Amino acid sequence: MKPLKQPRLSDIILDHLEQMILEGSMKPGQRLLPERELAVQFEVSRPSVREALQKLEAKGLISRRQGGGNFVSENLGASYTEPLFDLLSRHPEAQRDLLEFRHALEGIAAFHAAQRATETDREIIRQQYERWEAAHERADVAAEVKADADFHLSVAEAAHNLALLHTMRAVFSLMRERMDENLQLLYVDEGMRDRVQEQHEKLRDAVLGGDPVRARNAAQSHLAFINESVENSHREASRRNRAKRRLSSLGRGHNPDNAD
């Protein structure tokens, strides 16, 4: 019998960091602790940490910034977005498909989150909701888009399904720019702001209350409302633009004095 091969320290560190990235404990764009602090945390030498970080970088899981340390890759969902990223982000039909896909994913995520959330998960959801609410109340669209994604992803994290979590991260990455446009279009009607807040509250309360059916329904009702409202807003904007073009053409159009 061959003796068992002892794993290298760097591989043990690598496995631990990979698990943190996979489970969402370290998020895309998040900065890792410096080598020195990681060495203290793992109770190993800095060369072992450095070797583990080099392996993570080679796998595309982290990136090194000159003078700025190591960061979890922003492109963890690249397999979902390339080479179709440009097509999906530019075509309205694809955006509608993404919204429909998100509708299904978030219903599943909310259902399982209500069943599986730990007290820590619930505290994260509370905090992410409060951050979204603060951005929402001050009408900071850019901050609200990020906070909205973070709130919904905190529900996905509480579902404790890694495939679901990373798929949702990829979908949000694809939709981020369009979410900004949709919010600006949606909030032309001030009443929509209160409707969206009420729907987020229902989702939060259902998940925190441990009611999976109510949580799923709240998530899907919210997204169905957003989808329908955005579609209606696009149609209304299209009608307004068409009417403006017609009005503008009156000044350049047919002149009765020049008629035959």
Side-chain angles (χ1 to χ4, degrees):
M1 181 180 295
K2 293 183 179 180
L4 294 176
K5 184 178 180 180
Q6 293 296 319
R8 296 169 61 91
L9 281 175
S10 61
D11 289 333
I12 295 173
I13 300 167
L14 174 68
D15 288 343
H16 184 81
L17 293 174
E18 282 184 337
Q19 180 62 32
M20 292 180 70
I21 293 171
L22 183 62
E23 70 187 16
S25 298
M26 293 197 302
K27 297 176 171 57
Q30 182 175 335
R31 183 177 181 175
L32 277 67
L33 292 174
E35 283 184 12
R36 179 180 63 259
E37 294 182 37
L38 286 173
V40 171
Q41 184 180 90
F42 289 113
E43 299 182 348
V44 297
S45 66
R46 288 182 66 175
S48 294
V49 170
R50 189 174 302 119
E51 185 177 347
L53 294 176
Q54 289 170 347
K55 291 177 180 178
L56 280 174
E57 187 175 12
K59 291 184 175 187
L61 294 175
I62 66 170
S63 59
R64 187 185 305 273
R65 299 181 189 174
Q66 188 65 32
N70 296 292
F71 293 78
V72 179
S73 174
E74 296 276 10
N75 299 316
L76 289 179
S79 60
Y80 292 97
T81 62
E82 296 178 357
L84 297 177
F85 180 85
D86 188 53
L87 290 174
L88 287 170
S89 63
R90 285 190 295 108
H91 285 263
E93 295 84 357
Q95 286 292 317
R96 285 193 286 271
D97 288 345
L98 282 170
L99 283 169
E100 187 176 273
F101 186 42
R102 181 186 168 192
H103 181 280
L105 288 176
E106 293 222 31
I108 297 169
F111 184 92
H112 289 309
Q115 290 180 317
R116 301 171 180 173
T118 66
E119 185 51 46
T120 301
D121 291 322
R122 287 190 281 270
E123 180 57 30
I124 291 171
I125 290 170
R126 289 187 193 100
Q127 291 188 21
Q128 295 291 15
Y129 174 83
E130 289 171 2
R131 289 172 183 168
W132 171 81
E133 186 177 42
H136 182 72
E137 289 179 350
R138 66 177 185 267
D140 184 340
V141 173
E144 184 172 350
V145 167
K146 182 180 185 308
D148 183 88
D150 290 342
F151 169 64
H152 285 276
L153 287 171
S154 71
V155 173
E157 289 170 351
H160 292 278
N161 182 308
L162 299 180
L164 177 62
L165 172 61
H166 288 285
T167 300
M168 280 187 59
R169 284 193 188 281
V171 169
F172 273 106
S173 177
L174 281 169
M175 296 179 64
R176 187 65 61 93
E177 182 178 344
R178 190 55 62 90
M179 286 171 67
D180 192 316
E181 297 173 4
N182 287 346
L183 273 189
Q184 293 190 54
L185 192 62
L186 190 65
Y187 289 163
V188 168
D189 179 353
E190 187 61 28
M192 291 292 187
R193 302 186 65 83
D194 294 336
R195 298 280 300 276
V196 170
Q197 183 160 10
E198 180 184 348
Q199 291 164 5
H200 274 176
E201 286 178 358
K202 287 182 177 179
L203 173 58
R204 177 201 62 186
D205 293 345
V207 172
L208 298 183
D211 188 330
V213 173
R214 189 159 61 95
R216 180 187 60 203
N217 292 343
Q220 293 184 332
S221 295
H222 168 58
L223 289 169
F225 169 78
I226 294 295
N227 294 356
E228 182 179 357
S229 299
V230 168
E231 285 291 327
N232 288 340
S233 295
H234 277 297
R235 282 193 288 267
E236 179 60 27
S238 178
R239 287 192 287 266
R240 286 197 301 267
N241 290 335
R242 190 180 303 125
K244 286 178 182 178
R245 288 193 296 271
R246 287 170 178 161
L247 179 61
S248 176
S249 70
L250 290 178
R252 306 187 305 267
H254 180 68
N255 186 341
D257 294 336
N258 294 331
D260 292 333

